[in-house]
Amino acid sequence: MTMFAEYAESRADRAADRSGEEEQTGAIGLGLSAIAYALLDVAAAIRENTEARQ
């Protein structure tokens, strides 16, 4: 698992642990950061694949 994937999983787990209206904003922020780290992981994989083909 890459560093970005680990960050994404960690953020998603933390977001899932939050419940109730008062925690909603924090959960949304953590969920969005999980998505951002997952996208960084995808970008890194694409970059590695592109470099390997050249």
Side-chain angles (χ1 to χ4, degrees):
M1 186 178 287
T2 67
M3 175 185 66
F4 292 129
E6 289 177 15
Y7 284 154
E9 184 177 8
S10 169
R11 298 309 191 279
D13 288 343
R14 288 175 53 198
D17 288 340
R18 294 184 179 224
S19 62
E21 287 185 37
E22 66 280 352
E23 297 288 329
Q24 208 168 32
T25 301
I28 291 170
L30 287 168
L32 290 173
S33 68
I35 293 168
Y37 281 117
L39 289 173
L40 286 170
D41 190 47
V42 169
I46 291 170
R47 186 180 317 111
E48 288 175 11
N49 189 22
T50 302
E51 290 172 355
R53 289 183 179 205
Q54 292 179 353

